[in-house]
Amino acid sequence: MNQKAARINIAIDGPAGAGKSTVARMVARDLGYIYIDTGAMYRSVTLKALEAGLSMDDDAAVGKLANALDIVLLPGKDGQQVVVNGTDVSSRIRTLDINRNVSYIARLESVRKQMAELQRRMALAKGVVMDGRDIGTHVLPDAELKVFLTATPRERAIRRFKELGDEPGITLEQLEREIAERDRLDQERDIAPLLQAPDARLIDSTGRTIDEVAEQIVQWGLAIARTISTEEK
Ligand code: DC
């Protein structure tokens, strides 16, 4: 990338399984930006809340627990490495148990407030690609590029099913139903629901390759960064 191009922030939102994290990681790599997986942060809080035996709707208790967590996201070989209070939890936050509980934790006001603050701080220096549900609408409303990435529930279930490997422990049909339920919880919650920002560009990744989608976002990002650099001259 042109050294003189301005650094921008890129927000990628969308439902579960739309390909956000893979695409966001590729875009960050191509632009030399930092990738931030905000879902991993909610998953980390969920893991710790389950371990502590907390009720998934106890806002005060889970908020207090979240406040005491040190969540660090590091670039890893196979995606983002997630370290909580010094322990690598990268694989433990990707289980069916976490999938089933995370939407409840993500509804809690005190948790959302803390995560959003942390995410904003991470993006202060610009040059981040952040994926989640409310990045373009709440966390980074001034992001220079906002993308809403989606795909049909069937296609998203097929992708998640493949990720679960040889012993998925669930049928594709069940997974599709669980994904639809998670969409519903994410879209209908009161605080920062999953929503396309009015100024976000929509990409439907059904039937498109991850490479195509990532390349499209990189091109948009470069064009915006160039325009800003020209205006700043
Ligand atoms: O992207 P993911 O599947 O890892 O996200 C896990 C959950 O966290 C998902 O149910 C929605 C929630 N989430 C959220 O509410 N806001 C974000 N910015 C990111 C994730």
Side-chain angles (χ1 to χ4, degrees):
M1 198 176 112
N2 180 351
Q3 292 289 311
K4 291 200 186 103
R7 286 167 77 77
I8 64 167
N9 283 336
I10 302 178
I12 303 181
D13 290 303
K20 297 186 301 293
S21 56
T22 312
V23 164
R25 205 178 319 125
M26 289 168 79
V27 171
R29 183 201 60 202
D30 289 357
L31 294 174
Y33 282 12
I34 292 169
Y35 165 52
I36 297 169
D37 173 358
T38 62
M41 298 166 76
Y42 290 97
R43 287 171 179 273
S44 298
V45 177
T46 306
L47 174 72
K48 291 291 162 187
L50 286 172
E51 279 178 4
L54 300 182
S55 162
M56 296 293 111
D57 56 9
D58 190 339
D59 195 13
V62 182
K64 196 167 160 214
L65 173 129
N67 190 36
L69 294 182
D70 177 32
I71 303 174
V72 181
L73 305 177
L74 301 165
K77 209 167 21 78
D78 309 308
Q80 192 145 58
Q81 197 192 356
V82 185
V83 179
V84 177
N85 292 351
T87 304
D88 186 341
V89 297
S90 312
S91 52
R92 282 163 60 209
I93 60 168
R94 306 276 165 206
T95 62
L96 280 175
D97 200 24
I98 300 291
N99 287 353
R100 285 175 181 147
N101 285 286
V102 64
S103 284
Y104 297 99
I105 292 292
R107 286 201 293 199
L108 303 178
E109 185 172 8
S110 64
V111 174
R112 295 212 72 83
K113 230 173 130 195
Q114 292 181 62
M115 295 304 119
E117 263 172 42
L118 204 59
Q119 290 153 13
R120 283 189 197 110
R121 280 208 298 276
M122 289 171 163
L124 272 180
K126 300 264 183 196
V128 306
V129 183
M130 197 177 275
D131 83 4
R133 303 292 189 288
D134 60 338
I135 310 306
T137 49
H138 281 86
V139 177
L140 304 177
D142 298 329
E144 288 82 358
L145 173 58
K146 298 179 187 178
V147 174
F148 195 82
L149 186 60
T150 186
T152 60
R154 184 74 184 181
E155 172 117 355
R156 292 189 280 123
I158 292 170
R159 290 179 191 166
R160 281 281 147 107
F161 194 69
K162 286 185 188 152
E163 277 172 20
L164 291 171
D166 291 342
E167 289 180 46
I170 190 170
T171 67
L172 180 60
E173 287 67 31
Q174 276 172 324
L175 195 59
E176 191 176 346
R177 275 197 297 277
E178 287 193 7
I179 282 188
E181 174 61 6
R182 203 133 70 88
D183 287 353
R184 191 185 67 74
L185 288 170
D186 291 342
Q187 285 160 352
E188 291 180 1
R189 68 169 174 241
D190 294 335
I191 315 157
L194 168 64
L195 196 74
Q196 182 180 346
D199 52 349
R201 303 177 191 205
L202 176 69
I203 302 183
D204 185 339
S205 68
T206 312
R208 297 180 69 177
T209 68
I210 290 290
D211 290 290
E212 278 168 25
V213 174
E215 181 55 22
Q216 169 73 84
I217 298 172
V218 167
Q219 290 311 321
W220 281 339
L222 286 174
I224 293 169
R226 265 189 236 110
T227 307
I228 295 172
S229 306
T230 313
E231 284 167 1
E232 281 174 353
K233 271 187 195 154

